[in-house]
Amino acid sequence: MDEELRDLIEKSKYNDRALAALEKKLFAIDGLAEALSKTTQAVDIIGGGVKSNALPENAFAIVNHRIAQHRPVPMNNRLRNVDSDIHNSSVSAVKTHVADVLLPLAKKYNLTLDAFGDGLNATSNVVSSGRLSLAQAWESALEPAPVTPWIDNPAFDFLAGTIQAVAKTSKRWNNPDIPVAVAPGIMSGMFPPFTDNWIISLNSFSSKSGNTGKSISTIEHGSKHETDLHLM
Amino acid sequence: MWYVTALKGTYWTYCNHSFLNREQSGYETIYLIHMEKMASLFSLTKEVISFLFVILNIYSEADLLVGSMEATSDGMLASPGVAEKGYFDLRMTVSTSGGHSSVPPQHTVSDHDDISVSHLWLIFILHLEHRYSCGFDCTTGGEPIHTPSIQRTTLLHNSSMSSPDWYQYGWGTSWLDREIKIQR
């Protein structure tokens, strides 16, 4: 491990500046770590219009969000004593964020904004030019899962020990002396029916296969896809 | 008929009985265990079989993790997921009056403030993406981000901060006496 990174990890346990520096360095090394640390957004489906010679009356997009595990309250909100629940990392926070971002645009273009069932007349005119609707697609909302305890947790210890034992006797490497680290990771979030960690939150560990490699983070760790469910 | 795919052969090679069928899958030997035969052979109760089922699953899960471990300069790293991000799909719909493309209605003429739904759509999407490009924390103002995205209170359990070795190899595996420390 890079010595500077190792020192930052050590200092970050007690020092906020070191924690921020660790974040910066970690993100520079591994972009996937940044994505896993923050709420991400991807516009995945776009559609609209019915004919090549007709101006579309409707257009839609499906925007996929993976909601960060942490629940930070921005410093400026702390100072303003704003209700922290609104700005927590949650489904409601994402909804609030989206509505906050789009409301000024709806006003600018004289549209009525329907944000998740709350009709907001963003227009200054009596007659609006159109409508912007925001809704949840496919009943897909799922809050970030509670973090499974892993410090001084016999279940995690048992799994970690098993992993080490299996690795050391694996035919993959034929090396009983191979050093094996077991560190907690985070899942990137899945569509609710296929989620892992929500099943039993207190002692649920999920395996990850097809890792992308290159990550040196022991805080968070990426995967191309998730497999199976593990309960203890 | 219950079958459990499980286990490394290393642990179970002595179980070469009729209830066990061996298959080769990738690097590992996979065993299909006929649970009913196993139960009758050893006169095991359903409870014991259930317990074995759990144990087999743990080994199976461990094997999956071993298969996905990555190499670092200090050894191999396995990361069982202890947390999972949330999920939300947003549907955005813009509706305005349309019209024939050869005769655009007044609200789509470019020198007016109002523009067509196609243009609106691009604006909304680009605006959303721009606001997210600086991270979720900076959406409430232009002030610098004071709160790091990596939170001590998230994946790092509070009590872990009291331990100087929270990131070291071999955490919590004393039951196997296989703990390995980083050579600093």
Side-chain angles (χ1 to χ4, degrees), chain B residues 100-119:
Chain B
H100 198 277
S101 355
S102 62
V103 192
Q106 187 66 25
H107 75 273
T108 65
V109 178
S110 58
D111 59 356
H112 284 65
D113 282 343
D114 297 334
I115 54 178
S116 75
V117 67
S118 315
H119 295 143

Side-chain angles (χ1 to χ4, degrees), chain B residues 12-65:
Chain B
W12 292 80
T13 46
Y14 64 89
C15 293
N16 190 20
H17 297 289
S18 59
F19 61 84
L20 209 59
N21 293 318
R22 195 167 70 173
E23 288 182 0
Q24 200 69 29
S25 174
Y27 291 98
E28 305 297 344
T29 303
I30 304 297
Y31 286 85
L32 298 175
I33 299 173
H34 194 312
M35 299 297 280
E36 288 178 356
K37 283 185 181 177
M38 190 176 180
S40 62
L41 187 66
F42 294 108
S43 301
L44 300 178
T45 63
K46 267 191 173 178
E47 287 72 22
V48 174
I49 292 294
S50 298
F51 174 74
L52 287 174
F53 187 88
V54 171
I55 297 298
L56 293 179
N57 267 307
I58 292 169
Y59 276 94
S60 178
E61 194 76 8
D63 193 53
L64 271 174
L65 278 156

Side-chain angles (χ1 to χ4, degrees), chain B residues 40-181:
Chain B
S40 62
L41 187 66
F42 294 108
S43 301
L44 300 178
T45 63
K46 267 191 173 178
E47 287 72 22
V48 174
I49 292 294
S50 298
F51 174 74
L52 287 174
F53 187 88
V54 171
I55 297 298
L56 293 179
N57 267 307
I58 292 169
Y59 276 94
S60 178
E61 194 76 8
D63 193 53
L64 271 174
L65 278 156
V66 168
S68 63
M69 287 197 310
E70 65 176 274
T72 71
S73 57
D74 296 314
M76 305 300 290
L77 175 65
S79 298
V82 299
E84 186 166 8
K85 294 171 81 172
Y87 190 102
F88 179 66
D89 281 330
L90 166 72
R91 175 184 287 273
M92 294 197 302
T93 309
V94 177
S95 307
T96 64
S97 54
H100 198 277
S101 355
S102 62
V103 192
Q106 187 66 25
H107 75 273
T108 65
V109 178
S110 58
D111 59 356
H112 284 65
D113 282 343
D114 297 334
I115 54 178
S116 75
V117 67
S118 315
H119 295 143
L120 279 174
W121 204 235
L122 281 175
I123 289 169
F124 287 142
I125 289 173
L126 291 176
H127 194 70
L128 266 179
E129 293 201 329
H130 167 71
R131 296 305 296 268
Y132 264 93
S133 65
C134 58
F136 198 75
D137 289 349
C138 64
T139 57
T140 52
E143 300 174 32
I145 302 172
H146 297 286
T147 307
S149 292
I150 295 178
Q151 298 285 303
R152 289 199 183 89
T153 54
T154 56
L155 292 183
L156 304 182
H157 193 282
N158 281 335
S159 64
S160 69
M161 292 300 100
S162 61
S163 167
D165 299 326
W166 67 271
Y167 59 89
Q168 288 197 350
Y169 285 163
W171 180 268
T173 56
S174 55
W175 71 284
L176 275 180
D177 195 26
R178 286 178 184 267
E179 190 164 350
I180 302 164
K181 298 290 185 184

Side-chain angles (χ1 to χ4, degrees), chain A residues 12-65:
Chain A
S12 68
K13 291 187 286 187
Y14 316 102
N15 187 309
D16 284 345
R17 287 178 182 269
L19 186 63
L22 170 63
E23 176 191 279
K24 188 176 179 182
K25 185 171 180 63
L26 192 60
F27 291 173
I29 296 171
D30 184 359
L32 191 59
E34 181 170 11
L36 283 170
S37 300
K38 297 180 177 179
T39 297
T40 59
Q41 178 192 62
V43 182
D44 293 326
I45 303 174
I46 298 176
V50 293
K51 212 173 172 200
S52 63
N53 64 350
L55 294 166
E57 295 182 357
N58 294 287
F60 75 95
I62 304 295
V63 187
N64 178 254
H65 297 82

Side-chain angles (χ1 to χ4, degrees), chain A residues 210-227:
Chain A
N211 286 324
T212 55
K214 297 183 181 177
S215 170
I216 58 169
S217 167
T218 55
I219 299 172
E220 296 186 349
H221 183 52
S223 68
K224 285 179 180 173
H225 61 278
E226 294 76 30
T227 57

